Coordinates of all heavy atoms in Angstrom, one line a residue:
M1 N 0.9 -1.3 0.0 CA 0.1 0.1 0.0 C 0.9 1.2 0.1 O 1.9 1.3 0.7 CB -0.9 0.1 1.3 CG -2.1 -0.8 1.1 SD -3.4 -0.3 -0.2 CE -3.9 1.2 0.7
L2 N 0.4 2.2 -0.6 CA 1.1 3.6 -0.6 C 0.7 4.3 0.5 O -0.5 4.2 0.9 CB 0.8 4.2 -1.9 CG 1.2 3.7 -3.3 CD1 0.6 4.6 -4.5 CD2 2.7 4.0 -3.5
N3 N 1.7 5.0 1.1 CA 1.2 5.9 2.3 C 1.0 7.3 1.7 O 1.2 7.6 0.4 CB 2.3 5.9 3.4 CG 3.7 6.5 2.8 OD1 3.7 7.3 2.1 ND2 4.7 5.8 3.4
V4 N 0.5 8.1 2.6 CA -0.1 9.5 2.1 C 1.2 10.2 1.4 O 1.0 10.8 0.3 CB -0.5 10.3 3.3 CG1 -0.9 11.8 2.8 CG2 -1.9 9.6 3.8
S5 N 2.3 10.3 1.9 CA 3.4 10.9 1.3 C 3.8 10.4 0.0 O 4.3 11.1 -1.0 CB 4.6 11.1 2.2 OG 5.5 10.0 2.2
Q6 N 3.7 9.1 -0.2 CA 4.1 8.4 -1.5 C 3.1 8.9 -2.4 O 3.3 9.2 -3.7 CB 4.1 7.0 -1.4 CG 5.4 6.5 -0.8 CD 5.3 5.0 -0.5 OE1 4.3 4.5 0.0 NE2 6.5 4.4 -0.8
V7 N 1.7 8.9 -2.0 CA 0.7 9.4 -3.0 C 0.8 10.8 -3.4 O 0.8 11.2 -4.6 CB -0.7 9.1 -2.3 CG1 -1.9 9.8 -3.2 CG2 -1.0 7.7 -2.2
K8 N 1.2 11.7 -2.5 CA 1.4 13.0 -2.7 C 2.6 13.2 -3.8 O 2.5 14.1 -4.7 CB 1.8 13.9 -1.5 CG 0.6 14.1 -0.7 CD 0.8 14.9 0.6 CE -0.4 15.3 1.3 NZ 0.1 15.9 2.7
K9 N 3.5 12.5 -3.5 CA 4.7 12.5 -4.4 C 4.3 12.1 -5.8 O 4.7 12.8 -6.8 CB 5.8 11.7 -3.9 CG 7.2 12.0 -4.5 CD 8.2 11.1 -3.9 CE 9.5 11.1 -4.7 NZ 10.5 10.1 -4.3
L10 N 3.6 11.0 -5.9 CA 3.1 10.6 -7.1 C 2.3 11.5 -7.8 O 2.4 11.8 -9.1 CB 2.3 9.3 -6.9 CG 2.0 8.3 -8.2 CD1 3.3 7.8 -8.7 CD2 1.1 7.3 -7.7
V11 N 1.3 12.2 -7.2 CA 0.5 13.2 -7.7 C 1.2 14.4 -8.4 O 1.0 14.9 -9.4 CB -0.6 13.6 -6.8 CG1 -1.4 14.9 -7.3 CG2 -1.6 12.5 -6.5
R12 N 2.3 14.8 -7.5 CA 3.1 16.0 -7.9 C 3.8 15.6 -9.2 O 4.0 16.6 -10.0 CB 4.1 16.4 -6.8 CG 3.5 17.4 -5.9 CD 4.8 18.0 -5.2 NE 5.5 17.1 -4.3 CZ 5.1 16.8 -3.0 NH1 4.1 17.5 -2.4 NH2 5.8 16.0 -2.3
T13 N 4.3 14.4 -9.2 CA 5.0 13.9 -10.5 C 4.2 14.0 -11.6 O 4.6 14.5 -12.7 CB 5.5 12.5 -10.3 OG1 6.3 12.4 -9.1 CG2 6.3 12.1 -11.4
I14 N 2.9 13.5 -11.5 CA 2.0 13.4 -12.6 C 1.6 15.0 -13.1 O 1.6 15.4 -14.2 CB 0.7 12.7 -12.3 CG1 1.0 11.3 -12.1 CG2 -0.4 12.9 -13.4 CD1 -0.1 10.5 -11.4
V15 N 1.3 15.8 -12.1 CA 1.1 17.2 -12.3 C 2.2 17.9 -13.0 O 2.1 18.5 -14.0 CB 0.8 18.0 -11.1 CG1 0.5 19.4 -11.4 CG2 -0.7 17.4 -10.6
A16 N 3.4 17.7 -12.6 CA 4.7 18.3 -13.1 C 4.8 17.7 -14.6 O 5.1 18.6 -15.5 CB 5.8 17.9 -12.3
F17 N 4.5 16.5 -14.8 CA 4.6 16.0 -16.2 C 3.6 16.7 -17.1 O 3.9 17.1 -18.2 CB 4.3 14.5 -16.2 CG 4.3 13.8 -17.6 CD1 5.4 13.6 -18.2 CD2 3.1 13.6 -18.2 CE1 5.5 13.1 -19.6 CE2 3.1 13.1 -19.4 CZ 4.3 12.9 -20.2
R18 N 2.4 16.8 -16.6 CA 1.4 17.5 -17.4 C 1.7 19.0 -17.8 O 1.4 19.3 -18.9 CB 0.0 17.4 -16.7 CG -0.6 16.0 -16.6 CD -1.8 16.0 -15.8 NE -2.9 15.7 -16.4 CZ -4.1 15.6 -15.9 NH1 -4.2 16.1 -14.6 NH2 -5.1 15.1 -16.6
H19 N 2.2 19.7 -16.9 CA 2.4 21.1 -17.1 C 3.7 21.5 -17.6 O 3.8 22.4 -18.4 CB 2.0 21.9 -15.9 CG 0.6 21.7 -15.5 ND1 -0.4 22.4 -16.3 CD2 0.0 21.1 -14.6 CE1 -1.6 22.0 -15.7 NE2 -1.4 21.3 -14.8
D20 N 4.8 20.8 -17.1 CA 6.2 21.4 -17.4 C 6.9 20.5 -18.4 O 7.8 20.9 -19.0 CB 6.9 21.5 -16.2 CG 6.1 22.6 -15.2 OD1 5.6 23.5 -15.8 OD2 6.2 22.2 -14.1
E21 N 6.6 19.2 -18.4 CA 7.7 18.3 -19.0 C 7.2 17.8 -20.3 O 7.6 16.7 -20.7 CB 7.9 17.1 -18.0 CG 8.3 17.6 -16.7 CD 9.4 16.9 -16.0 OE1 9.6 15.8 -16.5 OE2 10.0 17.5 -15.0
M22 N 6.4 18.6 -21.0 CA 6.1 18.3 -22.4 C 7.2 18.8 -23.2 O 7.4 20.0 -23.6 CB 4.8 19.0 -22.9 CG 4.3 18.6 -24.1 SD 3.9 16.9 -24.1 CE 3.8 16.5 -25.9
T23 N 8.1 17.8 -23.5 CA 9.4 18.2 -24.3 C 9.2 18.0 -25.8 O 8.2 17.2 -26.1 CB 10.6 17.5 -23.8 OG1 10.3 16.0 -24.0 CG2 10.8 17.6 -22.3
C24 N 10.1 18.4 -26.5 CA 10.0 18.2 -27.9 C 10.1 16.7 -28.3 O 9.5 16.1 -29.1 CB 11.2 18.8 -28.6 SG 11.1 20.7 -28.5
E25 N 10.8 16.0 -27.4 CA 11.0 14.5 -27.6 C 9.6 13.6 -27.4 O 9.2 13.0 -28.2 CB 12.0 14.0 -26.6 CG 12.5 12.5 -27.1 CD 13.4 12.1 -26.1 OE1 14.0 12.6 -25.2 OE2 13.7 10.7 -26.2
I26 N 9.0 14.1 -26.3 CA 7.7 13.6 -26.1 C 6.7 14.0 -27.1 O 5.9 13.2 -27.6 CB 7.1 14.0 -24.6 CG1 8.0 13.4 -23.5 CG2 5.7 13.4 -24.4 CD1 7.7 14.1 -22.2
C27 N 6.7 15.2 -27.4 CA 5.8 15.7 -28.6 C 6.1 15.0 -29.9 O 5.2 14.5 -30.5 CB 6.0 17.2 -28.8 SG 5.1 17.9 -30.0
F28 N 7.3 14.8 -30.1 CA 7.7 14.0 -31.4 C 7.1 12.6 -31.4 O 6.6 12.2 -32.4 CB 9.2 14.0 -31.6 CG 9.6 13.4 -32.8 CD1 9.6 14.2 -34.0 CD2 10.1 12.1 -32.9 CE1 10.1 13.7 -35.1 CE2 10.6 11.6 -34.0 CZ 10.7 12.2 -35.3
H29 N 7.2 11.9 -30.3 CA 6.6 10.6 -30.3 C 5.2 10.5 -30.5 O 4.5 9.6 -30.8 CB 7.0 9.9 -28.9 CG 8.5 9.5 -28.9 ND1 9.0 8.6 -29.8 CD2 9.5 9.9 -28.1 CE1 10.3 8.5 -29.5 NE2 10.7 9.3 -28.5
A30 N 4.5 11.7 -29.9 CA 3.0 11.7 -29.9 C 2.5 12.1 -31.3 O 1.4 12.1 -31.7 CB 2.5 12.6 -28.7
L31 N 3.5 12.8 -32.0 CA 3.1 13.5 -33.3 C 2.4 12.6 -34.4 O 1.3 13.0 -35.0 CB 4.2 14.2 -33.8 CG 4.0 15.6 -34.6 CD1 3.3 16.5 -33.8 CD2 5.3 16.1 -35.0
D32 N 2.8 11.5 -34.5 CA 2.3 10.6 -35.6 C 0.8 10.3 -35.3 O 0.0 10.4 -36.2 CB 3.0 9.2 -35.3 CG 4.3 9.0 -36.1 OD1 4.7 10.1 -36.6 OD2 4.9 8.0 -36.1
R33 N 0.4 10.1 -34.0 CA -0.9 9.7 -33.6 C -1.8 11.1 -33.8 O -2.9 11.0 -34.3 CB -1.0 9.3 -32.2 CG -2.3 8.9 -31.7 CD -2.8 7.6 -32.1 NE -4.1 7.2 -32.0 CZ -5.0 7.3 -33.1 NH1 -4.6 7.4 -34.3 NH2 -6.3 7.1 -32.9
Y34 N -1.1 12.1 -33.4 CA -1.8 13.3 -33.5 C -2.1 13.8 -35.0 O -3.3 14.1 -35.2 CB -0.9 14.5 -32.9 CG -1.5 15.9 -32.7 CD1 -2.2 16.1 -31.5 CD2 -1.5 16.8 -33.7 CE1 -2.8 17.4 -31.3 CE2 -2.2 18.1 -33.5 CZ -2.8 18.3 -32.3 OH -3.4 19.5 -32.2
V35 N -1.2 13.6 -35.9 CA -1.4 13.9 -37.2 C -2.5 12.8 -37.8 O -3.3 13.2 -38.6 CB -0.1 13.8 -38.0 CG1 -0.3 13.7 -39.5 CG2 0.9 14.8 -37.6
E36 N -2.3 11.7 -37.4 CA -3.3 10.6 -37.9 C -4.7 11.0 -37.5 O -5.7 10.9 -38.3 CB -3.1 9.2 -37.2 CG -2.4 8.2 -38.1 CD -2.1 6.9 -37.2 OE1 -2.9 6.5 -36.5 OE2 -0.9 6.4 -37.4
M37 N -4.9 11.4 -36.2 CA -6.3 11.7 -35.8 C -6.8 13.0 -36.6 O -8.0 13.1 -36.9 CB -6.1 12.1 -34.3 CG -6.1 10.9 -33.4 SD -6.2 11.3 -31.7 CE -8.0 11.6 -31.6
T38 N -5.8 14.0 -36.8 CA -6.2 15.1 -37.5 C -6.7 14.7 -38.9 O -7.8 15.2 -39.4 CB -5.0 16.1 -37.7 OG1 -4.6 16.5 -36.4 CG2 -5.4 17.3 -38.4
L39 N -6.1 13.7 -39.6 CA -6.4 13.3 -40.9 C -7.7 12.6 -40.9 O -8.4 12.5 -41.9 CB -5.3 12.7 -41.6 CG -4.1 13.3 -41.9 CD1 -2.9 12.4 -42.4 CD2 -4.4 14.4 -43.2
E40 N -8.0 11.9 -39.9 CA -9.3 11.1 -39.7 C -10.4 11.9 -39.3 O -11.5 11.6 -39.2 CB -9.0 10.1 -38.7 CG -8.2 8.9 -39.0 CD -7.7 8.0 -37.8 OE1 -8.3 8.2 -36.7 OE2 -7.0 7.0 -38.1
G41 N -10.1 13.3 -39.2 CA -11.1 14.2 -39.0 C -11.6 14.2 -37.5 O -12.6 14.8 -37.1
K42 N -10.7 13.6 -36.7 CA -11.1 13.6 -35.2 C -10.4 14.8 -34.5 O -9.5 15.4 -35.1 CB -10.5 12.4 -34.6 CG -11.1 11.1 -34.9 CD -10.4 9.9 -34.4 CE -11.1 8.6 -34.9 NZ -10.2 7.4 -34.9
N43 N -10.9 15.1 -33.3 CA -10.5 16.3 -32.5 C -9.1 16.0 -31.7 O -9.2 15.7 -30.7 CB -11.5 16.9 -31.7 CG -11.2 18.2 -31.3 OD1 -10.1 18.7 -31.5 ND2 -12.2 18.9 -30.9
A44 N -8.0 16.1 -32.6 CA -6.8 15.7 -32.0 C -6.5 16.8 -30.9 O -5.9 16.3 -29.9 CB -5.8 15.8 -33.1
A45 N -6.8 17.9 -31.2 CA -6.4 19.0 -30.2 C -7.1 18.7 -28.8 O -6.6 18.9 -27.7 CB -6.8 20.4 -30.6
E46 N -8.4 18.1 -28.8 CA -9.1 17.8 -27.7 C -8.5 16.7 -27.0 O -8.4 16.3 -25.8 CB -10.6 17.7 -28.0 CG -11.4 17.8 -26.7 CD -12.9 17.8 -27.2 OE1 -13.5 19.0 -27.5 OE2 -13.5 16.7 -27.2
A47 N -8.2 15.7 -27.8 CA -7.7 14.4 -27.3 C -6.3 14.4 -26.8 O -6.0 13.7 -25.8 CB -7.7 13.3 -28.4
M48 N -5.6 15.4 -27.3 CA -4.2 15.6 -27.0 C -3.8 16.9 -26.8 O -2.9 17.5 -27.5 CB -3.2 14.9 -28.0 CG -3.6 13.3 -28.2 SD -2.7 12.7 -29.7 CE -1.1 12.1 -29.0
P49 N -4.3 17.6 -25.9 CA -4.2 19.0 -25.5 C -2.7 19.4 -25.3 O -2.3 20.5 -25.6 CB -5.2 19.4 -24.4 CG -5.3 18.1 -23.6 CD -5.3 17.1 -24.8
L50 N -1.9 18.5 -24.7 CA -0.6 18.9 -24.3 C 0.2 19.0 -25.6 O 1.1 19.9 -25.7 CB 0.1 17.8 -23.5 CG -0.5 17.7 -22.1 CD1 0.3 16.6 -21.3 CD2 -0.4 19.1 -21.4
V51 N 0.0 18.2 -26.7 CA 0.6 18.3 -27.9 C 0.2 19.4 -28.6 O 1.0 20.3 -29.1 CB 0.3 17.0 -28.8 CG1 0.9 17.0 -30.1 CG2 0.8 15.6 -28.1
Q52 N -1.2 19.8 -28.5 CA -1.6 20.9 -29.3 C -1.0 22.1 -28.6 O -0.5 23.0 -29.4 CB -3.1 21.0 -28.9 CG -3.8 22.3 -28.9 CD -4.0 23.0 -30.3 OE1 -3.7 22.2 -31.3 NE2 -4.5 24.1 -30.4
S53 N -0.8 22.3 -27.4 CA -0.3 23.4 -26.8 C 1.3 23.7 -27.1 O 1.8 24.7 -27.2 CB -0.6 23.7 -25.3 OG 0.2 22.7 -24.5
H54 N 1.9 22.6 -27.0 CA 3.3 22.5 -27.4 C 3.4 22.8 -28.9 O 4.4 23.6 -29.2 CB 3.9 21.0 -27.2 CG 5.4 21.0 -27.4 ND1 6.3 21.4 -26.4 CD2 6.2 20.8 -28.5 CE1 7.6 21.3 -26.9 NE2 7.5 20.8 -28.2
L55 N 2.6 22.5 -29.8 CA 2.8 22.8 -31.2 C 2.7 24.2 -31.4 O 3.3 24.7 -32.3 CB 1.8 21.9 -32.0 CG 2.1 20.4 -32.2 CD1 0.9 19.8 -32.9 CD2 3.4 20.2 -32.9
Q56 N 1.7 24.8 -30.7 CA 1.6 26.2 -30.8 C 2.7 27.1 -30.3 O 3.0 28.2 -30.8 CB 0.3 26.7 -30.1 CG -1.0 26.3 -30.8 CD -2.3 26.6 -30.1 OE1 -2.3 26.9 -28.9 NE2 -3.3 26.8 -30.8
G57 N 3.4 26.6 -29.2 CA 4.4 27.2 -28.6 C 5.9 27.0 -29.2 O 6.8 27.7 -28.8
C58 N 5.9 25.9 -29.8 CA 7.3 25.4 -30.4 C 7.4 25.5 -31.8 O 6.7 24.7 -32.5 CB 7.6 24.0 -29.7 SG 9.1 23.4 -30.3
T59 N 8.1 26.4 -32.4 CA 8.2 26.5 -33.8 C 8.6 25.2 -34.6 O 8.2 24.8 -35.6 CB 9.2 27.5 -34.2 OG1 8.9 28.7 -33.4 CG2 9.1 28.0 -35.6
E60 N 9.7 24.5 -33.9 CA 10.4 23.4 -34.5 C 9.3 22.3 -34.6 O 9.2 21.7 -35.7 CB 11.5 22.9 -33.5 CG 12.6 22.3 -34.2 CD 13.8 22.0 -33.3 OE1 14.3 23.0 -32.8 OE2 14.0 20.8 -33.2
C61 N 8.5 22.0 -33.5 CA 7.6 21.0 -33.5 C 6.4 21.3 -34.4 O 5.8 20.4 -35.1 CB 7.1 20.6 -32.1 SG 8.3 19.8 -31.3
G62 N 6.1 22.6 -34.5 CA 5.0 23.1 -35.4 C 5.3 22.8 -36.9 O 4.4 22.4 -37.5
E63 N 6.5 23.0 -37.1 CA 6.9 22.8 -38.6 C 7.0 21.3 -38.8 O 6.6 20.9 -39.9 CB 8.3 23.4 -38.7 CG 8.2 24.9 -39.1 CD 9.6 25.6 -39.1 OE1 10.6 24.8 -39.0 OE2 9.7 26.9 -39.2
E64 N 7.3 20.6 -37.9 CA 7.4 19.1 -38.0 C 6.0 18.6 -38.3 O 5.8 17.8 -39.1 CB 8.0 18.6 -36.6 CG 8.2 17.0 -36.7 CD 9.4 16.6 -37.5 OE1 10.4 17.3 -37.4 OE2 9.4 15.6 -38.1
F65 N 5.2 19.1 -37.4 CA 3.6 18.7 -37.6 C 3.2 19.0 -39.0 O 2.5 18.2 -39.6 CB 2.9 19.5 -36.4 CG 1.4 19.3 -36.7 CD1 0.8 18.2 -36.6 CD2 0.6 20.4 -37.0 CE1 -0.7 18.1 -36.9 CE2 -0.8 20.3 -37.3 CZ -1.3 19.1 -37.2
Q66 N 3.4 20.3 -39.5 CA 2.9 20.7 -40.8 C 3.5 19.8 -41.9 O 2.8 19.4 -42.8 CB 3.3 22.1 -41.1 CG 2.4 23.2 -40.3 CD 1.0 23.0 -40.7 OE1 0.6 22.7 -41.7 NE2 0.2 23.2 -39.7
A67 N 4.8 19.4 -41.8 CA 5.5 18.7 -42.8 C 4.9 17.3 -42.8 O 4.6 16.8 -43.8 CB 7.0 18.7 -42.4
L68 N 4.7 16.7 -41.6 CA 4.1 15.4 -41.4 C 2.6 15.3 -42.0 O 2.3 14.4 -42.8 CB 4.2 15.0 -40.1 CG 4.1 13.5 -39.8 CD1 5.3 12.7 -40.3 CD2 4.3 13.4 -38.1
L69 N 1.8 16.3 -41.8 CA 0.5 16.5 -42.2 C 0.5 16.5 -43.8 O -0.3 15.8 -44.4 CB -0.1 17.7 -41.5 CG -1.5 17.9 -41.8 CD1 -2.3 16.7 -40.9 CD2 -2.0 19.1 -41.2
E70 N 1.3 17.3 -44.3 CA 1.4 17.5 -45.7 C 1.9 16.2 -46.4 O 1.2 15.9 -47.4 CB 2.4 18.6 -46.1 CG 2.1 20.0 -45.7 CD 0.7 20.5 -46.3 OE1 0.4 20.3 -47.5 OE2 -0.1 21.1 -45.5
A71 N 2.7 15.5 -45.8 CA 3.4 14.3 -46.4 C 2.2 13.3 -46.4 O 1.9 12.5 -47.4 CB 4.5 13.8 -45.6
L72 N 1.5 13.0 -45.2 CA 0.5 12.1 -45.2 C -0.7 12.3 -46.1 O -1.2 11.6 -46.7 CB 0.1 11.9 -43.8 CG 1.1 11.2 -42.8 CD1 0.5 11.1 -41.5 CD2 1.4 9.8 -43.5
K73 N -1.1 13.7 -46.2 CA -2.1 14.1 -47.1 C -1.8 13.8 -48.5 O -2.6 13.3 -49.3 CB -2.3 15.6 -47.0 CG -3.4 16.1 -46.0 CD -3.7 17.5 -46.2 CE -4.4 18.1 -45.0 NZ -4.4 19.6 -45.1
A74 N -0.6 14.0 -49.0 CA -0.2 13.8 -50.3 C -0.2 12.3 -50.5 O -0.6 11.8 -51.6 CB 1.4 14.1 -50.4
I75 N 0.1 11.4 -49.6 CA 0.0 10.0 -49.7 C -1.4 9.5 -49.8 O -1.7 8.8 -50.8 CB 0.7 9.1 -48.5 CG1 2.2 9.5 -48.5 CG2 0.4 7.7 -48.5 CD1 2.9 9.0 -47.4
E76 N -2.3 10.1 -49.0 CA -3.6 9.8 -49.1 C -4.4 10.2 -50.4 O -5.0 9.3 -51.1 CB -4.4 10.5 -47.9 CG -4.5 9.7 -46.7 CD -5.6 10.3 -45.8 OE1 -6.1 11.4 -46.0 OE2 -5.9 9.6 -44.7
D77 N -3.9 11.3 -50.8 CA -4.5 11.9 -52.1 C -4.0 10.9 -53.3 O -4.8 10.6 -54.3 CB -3.9 13.2 -52.4 CG -4.6 14.3 -51.6 OD1 -5.7 13.9 -50.8 OD2 -4.2 15.4 -51.5
A78 N -2.8 10.5 -53.2 CA -2.2 9.6 -54.2 C -3.0 8.3 -54.4 O -3.3 7.9 -55.4 CB -0.7 9.4 -54.0
H79 N -3.3 7.8 -53.1 CA -4.2 6.5 -53.1 C -5.6 6.7 -53.5 O -6.1 5.8 -54.3 CB -4.2 6.0 -51.5 CG -3.0 5.3 -51.2 ND1 -2.7 4.0 -51.5 CD2 -1.9 5.7 -50.5 CE1 -1.5 3.7 -51.2 NE2 -0.9 4.7 -50.5
E80 N -6.2 7.8 -53.3 CA -7.5 8.1 -53.6 C -7.6 8.4 -55.1 O -8.6 8.0 -55.8 CB -8.1 9.3 -52.9 CG -8.6 8.8 -51.6 CD -8.9 10.2 -50.6 OE1 -9.0 11.2 -51.2 OE2 -8.9 9.8 -49.5
G81 N -6.6 9.1 -55.7 CA -6.6 9.5 -57.1 C -6.4 8.3 -57.9 O -7.2 7.9 -58.8
Ligands
ZN101 ZN1 9.0 21.3 -29.5

């Protein structure tokens, strides 16, 4: 069983992860799924708000997202055409 201080530590870790530790690396790993959802017409921003906010604040990842989106769209179009 976890004691109270362990639980508090755990919660702090989760909160810290949510608010501060969205790094480019984590974003990059989540980007595939994010782009997929966007292309499927799903609300990726709502499902992955951390990725969304990181993309808005980080030029590098924002560009990566655009490039990936364009690339996948081009592939889809090629298949449909
Ligand atoms: Zn980034």
Side-chain angles (χ1 to χ4, degrees):
M1 278 295 286
L2 292 168
N3 63 36
V4 173
S5 84
Q6 282 173 319
V7 172
K8 280 183 181 169
K9 198 178 165 193
L10 195 65
V11 170
R12 269 201 296 271
T13 305
I14 294 165
V15 171
F17 176 77
R18 287 170 122 183
H19 291 289
D20 300 322
E21 307 222 344
M22 189 60 198
T23 65
C24 291
E25 200 187 345
I26 297 168
C27 183
F28 184 77
H29 285 298
L31 208 55
D32 277 6
R33 184 78 198 109
Y34 190 89
V35 171
E36 253 173 48
M37 285 187 74
T38 303
L39 289 172
E40 285 166 7
K42 292 175 186 164
N43 196 339
E46 198 173 275
M48 302 166 90
L50 292 179
V51 176
Q52 153 78 5
S53 68
H54 184 88
L55 288 177
Q56 283 178 336
C58 178
T59 313
E60 212 174 299
C61 291
E63 281 174 6
E64 184 78 34
F65 168 68
Q66 284 301 329
L68 205 54
L69 192 65
E70 295 300 318
L72 288 179
K73 262 188 196 167
I75 292 168
E76 269 194 357
D77 288 350
H79 280 281
E80 278 167 20

